[in-house]
Amino acid sequence: MDENKTTPNKGKEDNSSKIGRRDVLKGLATLPILGAFAYGVYKKKNFDRIANNTLRQAVDLSAESPVVFQTQQKDPHIRVGIIGYGIRGPQLLKAAGFAMPSELDKWKESSLKNPSDHRLEDFRAQEDLNISITAVCDLFDVNAERALSAAANIGRDGSDGNFVQTAKRYKTYQELLSSGEVDAVIIATPDHWHTDISIAAAQKGIHVYVEKGMTRTVEEAFRLREAVKNSKIVFQLGHQGRQTESHMKAREAMEKNIIGKVGLIEVCTNRNSPNGAWVYDIHPEGTPETIDWNQFEFPCETKHPFSPERFFRWRCWWDYGTGLGGDLLTHEFDAINQIMSLGIPYSAFSSGGVYFYKDKEAGHYVNEVRNVPDVWQVALEYPTRDLTLLYSASLASNKDRGKMIMGHDGYMELSDALTIYADRESTRYKEKIEAKIIKPELPIYTYIPGRSTVDAITSPTEKYFASRGLLYTYRGGKRVDTTHLHIKEWIDCIRESIAQDKIIHPSCNIDQGFEEAITAHMATISYLENRKVFWDADKESVV
Amino acid sequence: MFKEKSASLLPCRGYSNGQLSMLVILRLAIGWHFLYEGISKILNPNWSSIGFLLDSKGLFSGMFHSLAANPDVVHSIDFLNAWGLAAIGLGLITGLLTQIATIAGMVLLAFYYLSHPPLITSEYAIPSEGSYLWVNKNLIEFFALWVLFLFPSGNRIGLDRFIFNRKK
């Protein structure tokens, strides 16, 4: 460096007479390129800005995160019971802030091997809801013990942590609800138990968070709605999709009529694994001694002999579950109901079958083939809204088809992100398309959660990354679990209800739940009875 | 032998006009590319390297993934990359500290190449406008900069002419 510094000085002294016009010209020869560059960048930015502004006038949607209900109330402390701790139960308790130490050990080990595994970090960063788990109930001893270990893990530790047992195990839900130890209860049992437990809780004034499908039958949906309406509880149904920002944004877009009159909506489910098809592992310790089989079968009209296969894979039989209708159609329907307030359809027609999971050799079943279909499609008609909602599902193919809302002026693709395109033949955008301000092959609006600005000019790389979930899976800059937000909303509403002395309803309340349940049941009845099923809105009955 | 060696120490002396012109044009083109890549990132508030890092495949992907795992590191990488690209671009265009800019550019390109090597088995989320096997445009630009390093032109056509005055 020193040498370099001295060289020019020397040069000046020695060759001052030699730095002539030629030297200056050669030294500065390339600078005009910078002028051209600046001009180009200016023109390009201007072009982008005008395109964005024109589009923003056409599509008046902000990039801001939607406002969600939040309360300042952090008190009182709420005592929560958990009924059902199989697969969904642990996920819900984790979202509430309680996970099994053994689980945290696994996350810890995994994060050491793979630094991009943030499960442990995210769980520990999850907001403390000021609740404790005071009661657990599961018909399988192993699950009940696991639930107790999660409840005691108040410090969010691994196996080497300090645990304080706050919970007691109850053998029946009745004992749990009568214990006087719970203010609120999370119900993650099989579907055939949802109604009885929820009603019993409502009658005791215990707040309810219940998983979908809300009820197993139409009759149960009516009974549950009545019980909740006659109570003072805060009821939340487990459609955590309600917390997805892109859904809220899509509702805003629908309210602003951005895609025009909607005629067709397509939603779907695609899974391709035994787990996804509810062919869960059968726990080796599941015996008549460790499972309360009689209680499990209590609501069933026809009783069955003890079957670990039925106990652990209950979703495969209509006796306990609600099939693709209650389990997965409901998520999709609820998302569209959230966006468009569709309500219960005028009619439902469905078809499908057990087409894949019937190969004993391949491990699809042990003793008994399922009777719940693995390929299933539903057409829901809304003549008063002039539209059809199509749902189709395969549990034997992973091809993801996304959610699509198709209107005359444009269409919307929904995932974690929301993308809106104009239709080539749109009336609303005709002039702008002719003026080439709107290009039908490019989105007119893209909402990516966590991004601060809205841009028509989304770079292709950003779009690709976002669509693969590699970007912006955050809310307010933080990665969040929608199930956590959904439980938090329920807890917030309970506190707010206490503070205001009136019921503050969360986003997926009993009315939304009723619409979800009836819709799913209509579709299921259509399949089981092989006919089109109608909803008589005046008489409120399924015919 | 001796003559050749001294010629390589003072390489800019022996170019024909055509050779020098093409070296400068190549330098300007690469400089322009770097500068615009940098400026477009600086001007885009949503730009982040995280997607690119997470999309990394191949031998060094573990290292790039672990960089992406830390938000502070990603933030620093975003800053260094965007301003680095712009500075290198400016250096190449104006011919200021050309050799340093050239080496820095090669380092960045090596990172891009190693994080996304076009292997037989690699499929990237990032869309590509062409078809590549082992050799891609990052690698070619890397070699082009290498050529520019060995055949410097900044001290003939560029601000380096004022700084690194040639000894007679």
Side-chain angles (χ1 to χ4, degrees), chain A residues 4 8 18 23-24 26-31 34 37 44 115 118 451-453 461 464-465 468 470-472, chain B residues 27-28 32 35-36 46 50-52 54-55 66 69 90 93-94 125-126 156-159 161 163-164 168:
Chain A
N4 287 347
K18 283 191 178 171
D23 283 315
V24 173
K26 284 186 171 177
L28 304 178
T30 57
L31 293 194
L34 283 184
F37 182 86
K44 169 91 176 110
H118 290 286
R451 225 178 87 154
S452 53
T453 57
T461 43
Y464 271 70
F465 290 141
R468 294 184 182 213
L470 290 175
L471 279 179
Y472 310 116
Chain B
R27 202 186 83 208
L28 289 174
W32 183 293
L35 182 58
Y36 190 65
N46 294 311
I50 188 164
F52 187 81
L54 286 173
D55 193 31
S66 61
L90 274 177
I93 290 178
T94 60
I126 185 165
R156 288 291 295 271
I157 305 290
L159 296 175
R161 192 181 177 95
I163 300 176
F164 304 106
K168 285 270 164 182

Side-chain angles (χ1 to χ4, degrees), chain A residues 56-78:
Chain A
R56 225 165 277 164
Q57 281 162 12
V59 185
D60 174 26
L61 267 182
S62 73
E64 266 121 62
S65 298
V67 183
V68 265
F69 172 80
Q70 283 204 313
T71 175
Q72 297 306 310
Q73 310 283 347
K74 294 281 168 220
D75 293 305
H77 181 84
I78 291 168

Side-chain angles (χ1 to χ4, degrees), chain B residues 54-99:
Chain B
L54 286 173
D55 193 31
S56 174
K57 307 263 158 63
L59 197 58
F60 299 97
S61 59
M63 182 186 93
F64 291 105
H65 292 162
S66 61
L67 291 176
N70 184 336
D72 294 333
V73 173
V74 170
H75 202 76
S76 314
I77 291 177
D78 287 353
F79 180 85
L80 287 175
N81 185 49
W83 287 96
L85 280 166
I88 291 165
L90 274 177
L92 290 175
I93 290 178
T94 60
L96 179 67
L97 305 175
T98 324
Q99 296 298 78

